[in-house]
Amino acid sequence: MENKIKIHLADDHQVLIDGMLAVLKTNSNFEVVGFSLNGENLVERVAKNGTDILVMDINMPEKDGIQVLREFNEKGFTCKVIVLSSYDDAKLIKEVVKLGASGYLTKQCAGENIIDAIRTVADGEQYFSSTIKDKIFNIFTNNSQNQAMNTEEIISSITARELEILNLISQEKSGKDISEMLDISVNTVETHRKNLMKKLNVKSSVGLVIFAAKHNLIEN
Amino acid sequence: MENKIKIHLADDHQVLIDGMLAVLKTNSNFEVVGFSLNGENLVERVAKNGTDILVMDINMPEKDGIQVLREFNEKGFTCKVIVLSSYDDAKLIKEVVKLGASGYLTKQCAGENIIDAIRTVADGEQYFSSTIKDKIFNIFTNNSQNQAMNTEEIISSITARELEILNLISQEKSGKDISEMLDISVNTVETHRKNLMKKLNVKSSVGLVIFAAKHNLIEN
DNA sequence: TTTTACCTCACTAATTTCAGTTAGAAAAAA
DNA sequence: TTTTTTCTAACTGAAATTAGTGAGGTAAAA
């Protein structure tokens, strides 16, 4: 009989950890050797208990998944990582892949998929869910053949501040209104507006609002 | 045994007439004494064959339902009219009620409802489907206690030309763009824009677009 | 350490939009 | 026939947006 696959789980949601434990217990080839509710000391713990595969969320307190991956690279650890995130943001996927993760699943996936993923990654291959594969494919194709950016990437290139301002614009606020609400200069607001228009490739604030509405970037 | 209720049907869709005939045949108290595929001579025909109740569509070739109702009023005919329309536009309902129709149903209603309506109206009462009642209620309440107009009414107060311009604005067109596309003066376009903003009670073109999107006033 | 990303702000200049008012013409309704 | 609705248009002046450029500061990443 071969050795069991040693798994470490990292997610700030206890219920999810518990659920995963239950799911993974059904497979006698898996052994969960530890779990973490945040990113602190995660790298050390994983290294210490000889983990084969780390199944990790991105959003975690103290230290997020991206930082953990980076640390893995810096310290030259070879533990394989499967990212299990709520988000399927193009920018995030790109980053995660670049940092050498072996797999990426969204939390919409079934427990079945996680088992598949672990098995696949344990065999030395990579595992990405089909929706993620599509995104990667889109990023790749739209990036190389077109000079234009992919909509996915456009959206994920919007910064937090820009999104904030995009929202206010979508609420009929003028530049001046916004500058007062955020306590910044009108010039700054207009710079953001300008940058947004360039990014989203639209001609006016109306274009911004249409784009925002179409891609559910605005609450309301 | 009492007299049968004499009914005349008017609708430009033959299938609908046929369907109604089949439905009304199931009730031995009803007698369809005639039907029309357009509004021409409708008033005369109804008067001639002693119709008790006219079930009429609004959209008809030659002469529409509104004109027919008006004619009834002018000539002092007392035939009761049930309007059966595809639309539940507030303006239309208001108009129809003002012109003295005894009932209003949308074509989404069941055959059952039409039978109910005919029976009710024959008894001298009025019949409006619940959705229509709601609309009337909204118009009434929002009109009297608030000075502001009801959204229903606001929407139906948008003219065809305004809607056209609203659409173009929602496509990122500038005033100049629109003036060239419609071959009218920029001033005119801006007047329309201004009137729209006043009507829809918004502060800017962005507001117009949001309103339009929210109420499905724009195709795309 | 150097680079990159992001937020910040300013200044100019052109263009567009917004607000209020007035008014003519045509068509439809009262 | 008179009134109302709708579309058209012009004018003024204020306010806002758009476009381009340059640049300082901070925090994080390479």
Side-chain angles (χ1 to χ4, degrees):
Chain A
M1 196 191 269
E2 54 209 297
N3 285 335
K4 287 190 175 186
I5 301 169
K6 291 180 182 174
I7 300 168
H8 189 105
L9 305 176
D11 196 301
D12 57 330
H13 300 298
Q14 181 74 51
V15 275
L16 201 140
I17 300 257
D18 293 343
M20 296 266 288
L21 284 172
V23 169
L24 299 179
K25 205 177 287 176
T26 64
N27 193 311
S28 60
N29 266 33
F30 297 163
E31 185 190 356
V32 177
V33 296
F35 64 87
S36 309
L37 291 165
N38 60 58
E40 205 157 26
N41 303 323
L42 184 51
V43 177
E44 290 78 359
R45 295 186 61 196
V46 164
K48 200 176 292 172
N49 61 20
T51 302
D52 296 312
I53 294 179
L54 168 62
V55 178
M56 178 179 66
D57 189 15
I58 291 296
N59 278 97
M60 289 186 298
E62 315 304 340
K63 191 180 284 182
D64 74 23
I66 298 291
Q67 290 174 294
V68 172
L69 282 170
R70 218 168 259 139
E71 214 174 319
F72 269 112
N73 287 328
E74 281 171 11
K75 306 198 173 167
F77 291 162
T78 53
C79 167
K80 288 177 178 153
V81 180
I82 296 172
V83 170
L84 180 65
S85 171
S86 310
Y87 309 107
D88 61 350
D89 179 81
K91 196 177 181 181
L92 190 57
I93 296 170
K94 214 177 170 184
E95 185 77 3
V96 163
V97 170
K98 196 175 66 177
L99 289 171
S102 302
Y104 194 117
L105 296 164
T106 60
K107 289 188 179 171
Q108 281 83 48
C109 79
E112 198 60 49
N113 299 126
I114 296 174
I115 292 175
D116 273 358
I118 293 175
R119 219 182 264 129
T120 305
V121 170
D123 281 349
E125 296 176 53
Q126 289 190 311
Y127 186 99
F128 296 96
S129 67
S130 59
T131 53
I132 301 299
K133 269 186 196 154
D134 284 350
K135 296 234 175 197
I136 294 173
F137 180 76
N138 281 334
I139 293 171
F140 182 77
T141 51
N142 284 358
N143 249 17
S144 51
Q145 73 182 191
N146 288 357
Q147 80 289 25
M149 256 203 293
N150 173 358
T151 308
E152 289 291 339
E153 286 199 295
I154 292 177
I155 292 173
S156 60
S157 75
I158 300 171
T159 69
R161 193 57 150 176
E162 284 170 349
L163 190 59
E164 200 176 359
I165 284 166
L166 181 55
N167 260 282
L168 293 171
I169 290 173
S170 301
Q171 284 161 32
E172 278 201 81
K173 307 297 181 201
S174 71
K176 196 176 151 222
D177 291 342
I178 297 171
S179 78
E180 283 160 7
M181 294 173 83
L182 301 183
D183 198 29
I184 55 178
S185 153
V186 176
N187 295 311
T188 305
V189 175
E190 294 310 325
T191 300
H192 283 306
R193 190 204 300 270
K194 211 179 326 174
N195 291 337
L196 275 167
M197 288 195 293
K198 204 164 208 170
K199 268 186 192 174
L200 307 191
N201 198 31
V202 297
K203 295 196 293 274
S204 67
S205 291
V206 165
L208 290 180
V209 172
I210 294 167
F211 185 100
K214 202 179 307 190
H215 298 91
N216 292 345
L217 266 35
I218 44 178
E219 55 257 15
N220 136 33
Chain B
M1 192 190 273
E2 54 210 296
N3 284 337
K4 287 192 175 188
I5 301 169
K6 290 182 184 174
I7 300 167
H8 189 106
L9 304 176
D11 197 300
D12 57 330
H13 300 301
Q14 180 74 51
V15 274
L16 201 140
I17 299 260
D18 292 344
M20 296 265 288
L21 283 172
V23 168
L24 299 179
K25 204 177 289 177
T26 64
N27 193 312
S28 60
N29 266 32
F30 297 162
E31 185 190 356
V32 178
V33 295
F35 65 87
S36 309
L37 292 166
N38 60 57
E40 204 157 26
N41 302 323
L42 184 51
V43 178
E44 289 77 2
R45 295 186 61 195
V46 164
K48 199 175 295 174
N49 60 19
T51 300
D52 296 311
I53 295 179
L54 168 62
V55 178
M56 177 179 66
D57 189 15
I58 291 297
N59 278 97
M60 289 186 298
E62 315 304 341
K63 191 180 284 185
D64 74 22
I66 299 291
Q67 289 174 295
V68 172
L69 281 171
R70 216 168 260 136
E71 213 173 322
F72 269 111
N73 287 326
E74 282 171 11
K75 306 196 174 167
F77 292 163
T78 53
C79 169
K80 288 178 180 152
V81 180
I82 296 172
V83 170
L84 180 64
S85 170
S86 311
Y87 310 106
D88 61 350
D89 179 82
K91 195 177 180 181
L92 189 58
I93 295 170
K94 213 178 171 183
E95 185 76 5
V96 164
V97 170
K98 195 175 67 176
L99 288 171
S102 302
Y104 193 116
L105 296 163
T106 61
K107 288 189 180 173
Q108 282 85 45
C109 79
E112 197 58 48
N113 298 127
I114 296 174
I115 292 175
D116 273 359
I118 292 174
R119 220 181 265 128
T120 306
V121 171
D123 280 350
E125 296 176 52
Q126 289 192 310
Y127 186 98
F128 297 94
S129 68
S130 60
T131 53
I132 301 300
K133 270 186 195 155
D134 284 350
K135 296 235 176 196
I136 294 173
F137 180 77
N138 282 334
I139 294 170
F140 182 76
T141 52
N142 284 357
N143 249 18
S144 51
Q145 73 183 189
N146 289 356
Q147 78 289 26
M149 256 205 291
N150 173 358
T151 308
E152 289 293 340
E153 285 198 298
I154 291 177
I155 293 174
S156 59
S157 75
I158 300 171
T159 68
R161 193 57 151 177
E162 284 170 347
L163 189 59
E164 198 175 2
I165 283 164
L166 181 55
N167 260 283
L168 293 171
I169 290 173
S170 300
Q171 284 162 30
E172 278 202 80
K173 308 296 182 200
S174 70
K176 198 176 147 216
D177 290 343
I178 296 172
S179 77
E180 283 162 6
M181 294 173 82
L182 300 183
D183 199 30
I184 54 179
S185 153
V186 177
N187 295 311
T188 306
V189 175
E190 295 310 325
T191 299
H192 283 306
R193 189 204 302 270
K194 210 178 330 172
N195 291 337
L196 275 167
M197 289 195 292
K198 203 164 209 170
K199 268 186 191 175
L200 308 192
N201 198 33
V202 296
K203 296 197 292 277
S204 66
S205 291
V206 166
L208 290 180
V209 173
I210 294 167
F211 185 99
K214 202 180 307 191
H215 298 91
N216 293 341
L217 265 36
I218 44 179
E219 56 257 14
N220 129 39

